[in-house]
Amino acid sequence: TLGEMPLIRYANRPVAQSVAQILHRKLHDLSRLPGSSFPTRHLADHERPTLLLIDRSSDPLSPLLHEFTYSAMCHDVLSASNDRYAYQYVGNNNVTQTKAVLLNDTEPLWARLRNMHIADLGTMLHAEFKEFVKQHPEAAGLTKQGGDKGIKTMTEGLRHLPKFKEQSERYSMHMALGQELMRKYTD
């Protein structure tokens, strides 16, 4: 099809070896026929195409597929450089904000989530966040609008608020990254 004489590589198996030898002989014979225009181009060895012969025990698509772990997708699909990624989110008062985050072992959730398959990430993050909110009802109650909050409830909530806010921002960030990865993957 290419009009070129390929370099033939084969799996180290008897059937692949015999097919490679037969193919090489046939291509060589084809090039020696009188009046044959095969190969149409004569290339140096380092420019010749390579033909791989493998049997069914090899999966030829695996090396070509994208890795679907959270870490691999963040580094391949997103424009993360030097373990930093800037993402946008909608904050209070529907204002879009940009935040840069570190995607390395200094971020506790990243260290735990990075090897997780992207399909499982969203489900696990939502479940963990719901459990986290359940465990910190005082601080979670302060973030909700309205409602009757007594002084004791507010004091208790304020004491836990900084840690609650920090951890909920971590969950939000990873949820946003997961959604962005899935959107880019689908596109």
Side-chain angles (χ1 to χ4, degrees):
T1 304
L2 297 174
E4 299 172 356
M5 184 70 77
L7 295 170
I8 301 173
R9 303 283 183 251
Y10 53 90
N12 191 14
R13 302 194 196 287
V15 173
Q17 183 178 6
S18 64
V19 170
Q21 289 170 347
I22 292 168
L23 179 61
H24 179 71
R25 193 173 334 110
K26 295 266 185 191
L27 288 174
H28 193 304
D29 292 348
L30 180 64
S31 70
R32 299 264 188 241
L33 286 175
S36 172
S37 61
F38 178 78
T40 56
R41 298 182 340 153
H42 295 280
L43 304 169
D45 281 348
H46 69 278
E47 295 176 317
R48 289 170 54 190
T50 301
L51 175 66
L52 296 176
L53 295 175
I54 55 176
D55 61 18
R56 290 181 179 218
S57 67
S58 301
D59 182 8
L61 292 180
S62 292
L64 304 175
L65 290 176
H66 190 282
E67 177 70 36
F68 287 105
T69 60
Y70 185 38
S71 174
M73 288 191 77
C74 280
H75 287 94
D76 294 346
V77 177
L78 300 177
S79 55
S81 62
N82 296 331
D83 291 338
R84 289 185 183 276
Y85 176 68
Y87 74 102
Q88 293 185 335
Y89 66 98
V90 178
N92 294 339
N93 302 327
N94 290 329
V95 176
T96 302
Q97 298 176 340
T98 303
K99 186 173 186 175
V101 294
L102 283 175
L103 300 175
N104 61 23
D105 289 339
T106 62
E107 209 292 306
L109 281 177
W110 173 262
R112 203 166 42 85
L113 302 173
R114 68 178 172 211
N115 296 322
M116 183 171 258
H117 193 278
I118 195 69
D120 301 328
L121 180 73
T123 308
M124 200 271 310
L125 277 174
H126 285 289
E128 271 192 25
F129 184 68
K130 281 174 75 174
E131 185 61 32
F132 172 73
V133 170
K134 247 193 240 182
Q135 291 174 356
H136 299 88
E138 304 86 13
L142 285 178
T143 61
K144 294 180 184 172
Q145 297 293 325
D148 185 24
K149 297 176 181 84
I151 296 292
K152 185 177 181 184
T153 305
M154 288 175 64
T155 305
E156 190 66 28
L158 286 172
R159 188 161 27 107
H160 297 285
L161 191 59
K163 183 177 177 168
F164 178 82
K165 186 177 178 190
E166 176 188 338
Q167 193 66 9
S168 60
E169 284 176 358
R170 288 182 198 278
Y171 279 113
S172 296
M173 183 259 304
H174 287 288
M175 285 183 218
L177 286 178
Q179 289 170 349
E180 179 74 8
L181 287 171
M182 289 310 292
R183 184 186 63 76
K184 286 190 177 198
Y185 173 72
T186 339
D187 288 350

